[in-house]
Amino acid sequence: MFNDLFQLVRSHFETDDFIPLHEPRFSELDKEYVVDAIDSTFVSSVGAYVDRFENELAEKLGAKRAVVTVNGTSALEVALRLVGVRFDDEVLTQALTFIATANSIAYNCAHPVFLDVDRDTMGLSPDAVRSFLEEHAEKRDGGPYNKTTGRRIAAIVPMHTFGHPMRIKELCALADEWGIPVVEDAAEALGSSIQGKFCGTFGRVGVFSFNGNKTITCGGGGAMMTNDAALADRAKHLTTTAKIPHRWDFEHDEIGYNYRMPNLNAALACAQLKQLDRILADKRELAITYRGFFKTVEWADYVDEPEGSKSNFWLNAITLSDSKVRNEFLEASNSTGIMTRPIWKLMSELKMYSDCQCGSLKNAQWLEKRVVNIPSSARKMTKLGAGVTET
Ligand SMILES: *Cc1c(COP(=O)(O)O)cnc(C)c1O
């Protein structure tokens, strides 16, 4: 039943070998920049590539500032702290997400509250957030409080699942009404946009990841995006050991983190950013191929970009009719050397988070049983012809 898809995937990637879900793509430019960083001897915690990547990333996405870190999880952790999440606060987020979203809340000694996603975007549902707040929250000094637990609701963290933009404008408007800051987990959504505005630039802070499996990678890395210059300055200070700049003195004015991105990684990040548009174009081409293919089959539906938005198509996803067909598909594809993977288990079903408060998780539960990711890499440079070094 699935063989036509397997053939299509093999002919797209032009290989009979194992096909991973998402592999990084490197060019001569990447090597050139990394070698330059090594030659400079500035491979570690200081160097020109870090500043350069922050400037170029902010400019590319139309944000005032970017502060880069060692990975996306650390960026989320610090972003939450900077918008005011404190010990014993609550943070509203989606039940269907990668573990880092929930962990970054727990690292701040705060409690995640898991709410439903929308069926179409697979991201946090503004309707679910609205009904939760109307049912459980009351406005007091210092922000809204959860009437059931007595805790302050200190932030909302939506996530753009697989790069498909969730209803971020609607959510931000709702969050404003309640006076709750939004930290946008855009780790998967670099280059995705809604009416020309990039994901990761809607919330008080937006977070990206440059892990090896993401749209572009620098080995490991993360970023916080914000239009608030004071917040960006605090982010930089806090992630670089909170040291007061001085030519020789070790003066630190609070307990900071060593979360900075090494210059060696930043060099690779600068080179990868130059290739982002090429990578996105190639990923869109594959998405169009998949979209066309899944119109012709009965056994699965293609999860397409939500209307009015542009996805980066980080990971292509399909929904199968039930968990039995899903399991058959996972078995058949992985046995033939084509990597596929189910969507995450709900956070509320993991033992560390099983005591957390939840809303109705109807859509999240429906998707959890059916959604599978299929191979989504950008093709090798050689398949794209020359000219990979320009932006
Ligand atoms: C990748 C990812 C992160 C952060 O990942 P790091 O591996 O720490 O860079 C956070 N949230 C989501 C949803 C992710 O997919």
Side-chain angles (χ1 to χ4, degrees):
M1 179 158 83
F2 311 124
N3 279 332
D4 289 352
L5 175 67
F6 301 158
Q7 264 170 30
L8 175 139
V9 171
R10 291 215 173 276
S11 83
H12 180 85
F13 290 105
E14 298 180 49
T15 179
D16 292 327
D17 299 338
F18 173 75
I19 298 175
L21 207 56
H22 201 282
E23 63 183 343
R25 190 177 71 176
F26 298 116
S27 68
E28 290 306 313
L29 189 73
D30 297 304
K31 293 180 195 167
E32 202 182 290
Y33 277 43
V34 170
V35 167
D36 184 58
I38 292 171
D39 287 346
S40 76
T41 77
F42 289 95
V43 294
S44 192
S45 50
V46 285
Y49 281 113
V50 174
D51 295 342
R52 180 170 157 189
F53 183 49
E54 287 178 344
N55 292 333
E56 290 179 354
L57 185 66
E59 191 184 311
K60 174 96 193 162
L61 298 180
K64 207 175 257 167
R65 297 278 296 276
V67 175
V68 296
T69 59
V70 70
N71 55 43
T73 309
S74 60
L76 270 176
E77 178 193 350
V78 173
L80 285 167
R81 176 163 165 180
L82 288 177
V83 302
V85 175
R86 298 284 174 268
F87 173 81
D88 212 33
D89 282 343
E90 286 181 1
V91 177
L92 311 184
T93 191
Q94 59 202 64
L96 189 65
T97 184
F98 177 59
I99 191 76
T101 317
N103 286 350
S104 62
I105 297 166
Y107 297 156
N108 281 285
C109 302
H111 304 266
V113 174
F114 297 114
L115 301 179
D116 209 2
V117 295
D118 283 323
R119 261 281 268 280
D120 56 347
T121 68
M122 301 181 292
L124 185 61
S125 162
D127 289 337
V129 174
R130 184 178 295 108
S131 10
F132 179 86
L133 288 170
E134 281 169 4
E135 192 179 337
H136 295 281
E138 68 182 4
K139 288 181 184 166
R140 289 192 216 155
D141 285 349
Y145 278 73
N146 185 328
K147 286 183 283 188
T148 318
T149 60
R151 296 179 189 131
R152 192 173 71 106
I153 300 169
I156 306 179
V157 187
M159 198 277 280
H160 302 288
T161 302
F162 304 143
H164 295 316
M166 49 73 64
R167 294 186 168 77
I168 186 70
K169 282 188 185 170
E170 206 179 318
L171 183 76
C172 286
L174 174 66
D176 275 351
E177 278 171 39
W178 284 85
I180 311 173
V182 171
V183 170
E184 200 183 342
D185 184 349
E188 306 185 350
L190 181 68
S192 301
S193 59
I194 299 167
Q195 288 146 10
K197 186 171 162 64
F198 284 108
C199 291
T201 66
F202 288 90
R204 216 29 229 300
V205 186
V207 168
F208 289 108
S209 163
F210 307 103
N211 188 40
N213 64 344
K214 294 299 202 295
T215 303
I216 62 169
T217 184
C218 60
M224 284 174 265
M225 314 301 299
T226 184
N227 288 325
D228 180 336
L231 191 146
D233 289 341
R234 283 271 301 136
K236 191 74 189 172
H237 187 63
L238 207 53
T239 53
T240 56
T241 72
K243 186 175 182 296
I244 312 283
H246 190 278
R247 282 199 293 162
W248 50 78
D249 273 345
F250 283 107
E251 176 86 25
H252 305 263
D253 63 354
E254 61 183 311
I255 302 173
Y257 308 87
N258 176 16
Y259 281 173
R260 75 169 85 220
M261 177 185 283
N263 199 50
L264 187 62
N265 299 74
L268 183 52
C270 286
Q272 286 268 293
L273 189 61
K274 282 192 179 299
Q275 299 160 73
L276 175 62
D277 290 345
R278 298 286 302 251
I279 289 171
L280 292 177
D282 193 63
K283 289 169 75 67
R284 178 163 291 270
E285 218 179 274
L286 174 58
I288 290 167
T289 304
Y290 279 142
R291 177 190 293 153
F293 174 83
F294 284 104
K295 280 198 180 115
T296 69
V297 303
E298 294 284 319
W299 52 268
D301 288 319
Y302 181 65
V303 181
D304 216 329
E305 60 194 346
E307 239 183 84
S309 71
K310 248 181 128 171
S311 177
N312 65 0
F313 293 105
W314 172 54
L315 287 186
N316 290 281
I318 56 175
T319 49
L320 294 121
S321 44
D322 55 38
S323 50
K324 184 170 164 287
V325 183
R326 191 239 0 223
N327 293 346
E328 286 165 8
F329 178 73
L330 287 168
E331 180 61 44
S333 48
N334 286 292
S335 299
T336 190
I338 293 176
M339 185 174 169
T340 62
R341 195 175 65 186
I343 199 166
W344 315 281
K345 285 204 161 56
L346 303 190
M347 294 300 107
S348 46
E349 280 163 24
L350 302 176
K351 68 173 184 217
M352 314 80 81
Y353 295 119
S354 59
D355 291 339
C356 294
Q357 192 175 4
C358 296
S360 149
L361 300 177
K362 204 169 52 132
N363 293 333
Q365 283 157 351
W366 190 92
L367 292 163
E368 183 196 21
K369 286 201 224 32
R370 292 171 177 81
V371 174
V372 171
N373 291 124
I374 53 181
S376 301
S377 308
R379 284 171 294 190
K380 300 263 183 293
M381 287 300 177
T382 49
K383 302 287 189 294
L384 292 168
V388 292
T389 54
E390 90 278 24
T391 316

